[in-house]
Amino acid sequence: MISSRPSRLLCIIPLLLGITLSLTIQHVPPLVKLEHRLFWFPKPQESFVKRKPLTDFQLQVSDISPLDQPLVETRILETEKPLAVTDWLFALNAVRTNGATHVTISPLLSWPDPVELELRALEHEITNFDSAALGYDLRRASAPTPFPNYLTPSILTKVEGDLSTIPKVNTITIPPSITTGTQGFRILENAQPKIESNSMTIPLLAQWDENILPSFELASLIARTDTKPDEVKVTLGKHIQIGDSGIILPIDSSGHIIVPSDSERPGAAENLTVLTDPEKQESPPHLLILSKASPPHLRKFSQTISHLSSRISRDHQSYRRLPFWAEIPFLIFFTLVLQARKPLALLLIPAPFLFTLFTQQWFLLLPPLLIFTSFMGIKKALKKKSPKERPRKTHKKR
């Protein structure tokens, strides 16, 4: 049998280890990450888990189902033919003067032999908007070109996951003439969107060398939410979080997203020539300019951006770690139950999960797990060291 002194050690040592871990775990990042992975919570049908800050053991589980209505009213203008630099200059000045503060331009702003003075004037006009999103086209060529410096401000720097699955590119199909604002690729020639009867699968990311670039759709959301590209958090296979805007976009491992694709485009599009009519120049803050000659997925851009901008995370449940005055007594009770060697200990296994479910308090799993493993290890070691009882010899009478 095990003596009383080893029996006390069997109880005290695991308890001290568990309490020590409970008091110091927030200072050990690998253990913090492991605790987050072990954390169990009631998960809604479509959710986003926000851990902020990590060492405080606080998280929020938010529902990100789309809203019924878009967040902002957007005016949609269309161009029937390529416009000259001065035409764009006049049009943008007109809508900005009459209320537009954010502009998204789908047609490629590129001219073979432009007048430099006109380009600088147009660029200055675009910078006068609170935000602007412009597009360009990418492809993967046999002869790669150097990464252009004007795309550096649009690089996404906070990307987690296997980057090898993101579509690769190495050149711009047609260099844009205007490089201000937030830039995003309109077309990936080697990764075209997949369009079905009621949905589209579009790429939101592209990789040029070690640089991750946003699509035109993603760049538009970044611009209209006043977010910087380096504030966008990408977790491949899970989601894209656009800064603190609340917009959460679910993506697959290669950065693609599925969006609805109805046969009819929502919202009426006006021709850009309406700007010449003084009675129709009033504009809401957000302006979207499309081109009738664009590919199908860009023709549906207003529908796509309306769907993506409505994917706002709404607080569903918030979890905080238990205070020490409640956590330590449970560890003591858990250790005493183990010491009693009763089947009651098995009933405590679901206790942390049930406690979290009904109280929305985060109960750390690593400290009791350490207590249990160390208790069983010490118990096994003591059994090996204790002398085995020899069987008594019985003398038979002759």
Side-chain angles (χ1 to χ4, degrees):
M1 294 181 64
I2 302 175
S3 64
S4 60
R5 184 177 179 182
S7 179
R8 289 195 296 269
L9 293 177
L10 183 61
C11 178
I12 295 175
I13 293 179
L15 178 59
L16 291 178
L17 291 175
I19 293 177
T20 301
L21 179 60
S22 178
L23 297 174
T24 60
I25 186 173
Q26 65 269 21
H27 303 298
V28 187
L31 294 181
V32 173
K33 291 182 180 181
L34 178 59
E35 183 66 46
H36 274 281
R37 291 180 180 179
L38 293 176
F39 181 71
W40 178 87
F41 51 87
K43 186 176 182 181
Q45 183 177 6
E46 190 172 8
S47 62
F48 169 71
V49 181
K50 182 178 182 181
R51 301 175 173 93
K52 180 183 178 181
L54 185 64
T55 55
D56 282 354
F57 295 99
Q58 176 188 358
L59 57 76
Q60 291 179 343
V61 182
S62 302
D63 183 9
I64 56 171
S65 55
L67 301 175
D68 295 332
Q69 298 293 333
L71 294 179
V72 294
E73 182 184 359
T74 301
R75 186 179 187 183
I76 306 171
L77 300 179
E78 284 187 326
T79 61
E80 295 182 351
K81 59 182 181 179
L83 301 178
V85 178
T86 52
D87 294 330
W88 279 107
L89 182 62
F90 167 76
L92 294 179
N93 179 267
V95 293
R96 185 179 61 82
T97 303
N98 291 277
T101 56
H102 303 267
V103 62
T104 301
I105 302 175
S106 175
L108 182 63
L109 299 184
S110 180
W111 296 270
D113 297 307
V115 178
E116 186 66 21
L117 185 61
E118 294 179 352
L119 281 183
R120 300 290 73 83
L122 176 58
E123 193 170 67
H124 177 73
E125 185 61 45
I126 293 176
T127 58
N128 284 333
F129 286 88
D130 290 348
S131 73
L134 280 68
Y136 57 91
D137 300 341
L138 293 175
R139 63 189 178 94
R140 189 171 187 177
S142 56
T145 58
F147 184 79
N149 292 330
Y150 57 80
L151 291 184
T152 300
S154 298
I155 294 176
L156 305 179
T157 58
K158 298 179 180 179
V159 182
E160 297 180 356
D162 183 7
L163 303 185
S164 64
T165 60
I166 301 177
K168 306 294 188 300
V169 295
N170 56 19
T171 190
I172 290 183
T173 305
I174 301 175
S177 301
I178 303 297
T179 58
T180 189
T182 303
Q183 302 280 330
F185 63 85
R186 308 180 316 146
I187 298 173
L188 290 179
E189 291 188 1
N190 55 314
Q192 293 290 337
K194 183 179 179 182
I195 302 177
E196 298 179 351
S197 58
N198 58 356
S199 66
M200 291 191 302
T201 303
I202 57 177
L204 295 182
L205 305 172
Q207 183 178 11
W208 187 326
D209 296 333
E210 299 300 322
N211 305 310
I212 306 300
L213 298 172
S215 70
F216 184 49
E217 294 83 359
L218 182 54
S220 177
L221 291 176
I222 293 173
R224 70 163 55 193
T225 56
D226 295 324
T227 304
K228 297 180 181 179
D230 59 6
E231 296 174 339
V232 176
K233 299 178 182 179
V234 179
T235 304
L236 295 174
K238 293 185 178 180
H239 55 258
I240 297 177
Q241 179 185 359
I242 303 180
D244 295 327
S245 65
I247 297 179
I248 309 294
L249 307 178
I251 57 172
D252 62 15
S253 59
S254 59
H256 288 71
I257 188 173
I258 300 177
V259 297
S261 176
D262 297 333
S263 57
E264 296 182 2
R265 184 180 64 244
E270 308 167 85
N271 195 286
L272 205 60
T273 56
V274 302
L275 299 176
T276 58
D277 187 348
E279 297 181 358
K280 295 184 179 181
Q281 285 189 358
E282 184 177 355
S283 178
H286 290 268
L287 174 68
L288 171 60
I289 302 179
L290 303 176
S291 172
K292 291 186 176 181
S294 297
H297 75 282
L298 291 178
R299 291 281 298 141
K300 297 177 179 291
F301 186 86
S302 60
Q303 177 184 348
T304 301
I305 205 66
S306 177
H307 172 77
L308 296 182
S309 64
S310 69
R311 303 189 66 83
I312 300 296
S313 63
R314 298 184 292 277
D315 289 346
H316 181 75
Q317 287 179 333
S318 180
Y319 298 86
R320 283 183 177 273
R321 180 184 178 179
L322 272 176
F324 289 118
W325 60 264
E327 189 173 278
I328 302 303
F330 178 85
L331 297 180
I332 296 174
F333 176 73
F334 179 70
T335 307
L336 293 175
V337 172
L338 287 177
Q339 174 66 16
R341 292 175 290 179
K342 295 180 179 179
L344 181 61
L346 297 177
L347 299 178
L348 295 178
I349 295 178
F353 303 104
L354 296 175
F355 187 85
T356 299
L357 176 62
F358 291 108
T359 66
Q360 293 185 214
Q361 294 287 330
W362 185 332
F363 190 93
L364 299 190
L365 295 179
L366 287 180
L369 183 61
L370 177 61
I371 290 177
F372 178 78
T373 55
S374 59
F375 180 90
M376 299 304 296
I378 294 175
K379 183 177 180 181
K380 186 176 181 180
L382 290 177
K383 281 186 176 180
K384 287 183 178 181
K385 291 184 178 181
S386 62
K388 296 181 179 179
E389 294 184 1
R390 297 180 181 179
R392 296 178 179 178
K393 293 182 179 181
T394 58
H395 299 281
K396 295 182 180 179
K397 294 182 180 181
R398 294 183 180 177

